[in-house]
Amino acid sequence: MSSTRLFAAAVVILASAAAATNGDAARPPGLVLPFDLEARGSQLYVADGERHQILRFDLRRKRLVVVAGTGTAGASGDGGPAVRARIGEPTEIVFDAAGTLYFSDVSQGRIRQIDRQGVITTVARIAAVAGLAVHPDGRSLAAASIEGWVYRVDLATGRLERLAGDGTEAATGDGGPATAAQLNGPHDVTYHAAGNLLIGGYRGVRRIDARTGVIDTPFPREGTKVVVGQQGTVFLVAGSPTGGTVTELDASGAVRRVIGTGRLGRQADRVAATRLGFLPSDVEPVGGALLISQTQPVAAIRRIGPGSGIVTTLLR
């Protein structure tokens, strides 16, 4: 699926919001299209594609600041402060063990990094790159292009190696080498048990065996976002302009809907998560709770309480 097709729906469902400025969470800069969340301790990082910025929200102090991007789309600023750089549509954020932040920029076709001093550089260029995952050994990234490819990016050299897909929109090749398979809108990647790579897409979640390189489809349901939680639990985020859900698959293979009705509707806080009518973009397990980013009916970050499953709003 082309990047134009994938993001056409996102443009249709944009929520209106305030201008991009730093601010206090009591009067926060409005979220517009929060694609991705990544938690590090008490800090929650947000990739907002339509603000052309990466934000950091302090979960304790309830303050929001800009980490990268001026708010104007572009691909400039390498070698300087990330807050003065132009970025396009940041789509996914990951960290390595040393604290270096990596993000994909789907509209600019780049993977960029921000070091601990706040300096931004370009690591690699991949057309329509969306999903990222740091390999367990810390030496490479897996990167999914929604045009039908998954690559390995060597972090020392920037060299690309094709892991799966041939650029054709299909879902074939199970039981054979991943490099000979075809992928349907690969949008996300994450490493799972034994270093196996999960690939989220429109016709099921594919898996590449770390030892053999063979691909299969362990989860035959849509998951444009795939998140591994505690004890091997896998969360799948799926949706369309009319609504979406988050599904949990535990280690035993049991499947249950944990968030969302599948249709746009109820937005009130203090309701059960399964009654929330929204379009989710990501889910992030944090301390037993789940944090959810949504783009419709309003752009927001919500919290699902542990045990109770009750929704509260953290940020809009």
Side-chain angles (χ1 to χ4, degrees):
M1 176 175 285
S2 72
S3 59
T4 301
R5 286 179 57 192
L6 179 67
F7 284 90
V11 171
V12 170
I13 60 176
L14 287 179
S16 62
T21 58
N22 289 353
D24 190 288
R27 299 182 60 187
L31 298 175
V32 183
L33 197 65
F35 279 139
D36 187 63
L37 303 176
E38 183 71 16
R40 290 199 39 102
S42 64
Q43 305 299 310
L44 181 68
Y45 291 79
V46 183
D48 194 315
E50 280 299 308
R51 281 187 49 153
H52 314 299
Q53 290 180 319
I54 293 174
L55 312 171
R56 185 179 69 240
F57 181 59
D58 190 312
L59 294 168
R60 293 175 182 166
R61 298 182 179 181
K62 310 301 182 188
R63 291 188 63 86
L64 187 69
V65 297
V66 174
V67 172
T70 63
T72 300
S76 66
D78 277 358
V83 292
R84 297 181 184 173
R86 291 188 178 187
I87 62 179
E89 294 181 4
T91 312
E92 182 143 15
I93 301 167
V94 295
F95 284 87
D96 67 14
T100 300
L101 182 156
Y102 299 90
F103 70 93
S104 57
D105 187 332
V106 68
S107 64
Q108 301 297 322
R110 294 176 182 231
I111 299 171
R112 303 179 80 176
Q113 72 171 38
I114 303 172
D115 67 19
R116 296 183 67 178
Q117 286 70 49
V119 174
I120 190 169
T121 54
T122 296
V123 175
R125 299 190 182 193
I126 299 173
V129 62
L132 293 181
V134 179
H135 191 277
D137 68 12
R139 294 183 293 185
S140 64
L141 297 173
S145 163
I146 56 181
E147 294 186 347
W149 314 86
V150 175
Y151 296 95
R152 176 186 290 119
V153 182
D154 186 299
L155 291 176
T157 65
R159 178 176 174 271
L160 301 182
E161 175 188 355
R162 184 167 58 91
L163 294 179
D166 65 1
T168 302
E169 183 181 344
T172 66
D174 279 0
T179 51
Q182 296 176 333
L183 306 175
N184 189 273
H187 190 73
D188 196 24
V189 284
T190 190
Y191 285 99
H192 194 219
N196 297 331
L197 184 67
L198 301 181
I199 306 168
Y202 293 101
R203 296 186 185 175
V205 176
R206 315 289 294 274
R207 175 177 59 193
I208 302 176
D209 186 285
R211 184 177 59 85
T212 65
V214 170
I215 194 169
D216 66 353
T217 306
F219 308 126
R221 55 177 60 225
E222 179 183 341
T224 51
K225 199 74 169 183
V226 184
V227 177
V228 176
Q230 296 178 345
Q231 299 176 336
T233 297
V234 176
F235 295 95
L236 305 182
V237 178
S240 72
T242 60
T245 60
V246 178
T247 302
E248 180 186 62
L249 300 90
D250 68 22
S252 71
V255 179
R256 69 184 183 105
R257 177 173 53 89
V258 292
I259 309 170
T261 63
R263 299 195 63 82
L264 300 180
R266 181 185 291 270
Q267 287 297 298
D269 280 352
R270 306 297 177 183
V271 300
T274 52
R275 298 176 62 191
L276 189 63
F278 76 146
L279 181 58
S281 54
D282 195 16
V283 57
E284 180 78 357
V286 177
L290 294 177
L291 304 185
I292 306 294
S293 57
Q294 66 176 67
T295 58
Q296 181 74 358
V298 294
I301 297 170
R302 317 292 287 274
R303 180 181 185 273
I304 314 301
S308 68
I310 299 299
V311 178
T312 55
T313 298
L314 290 179
L315 183 65
R316 287 188 177 179

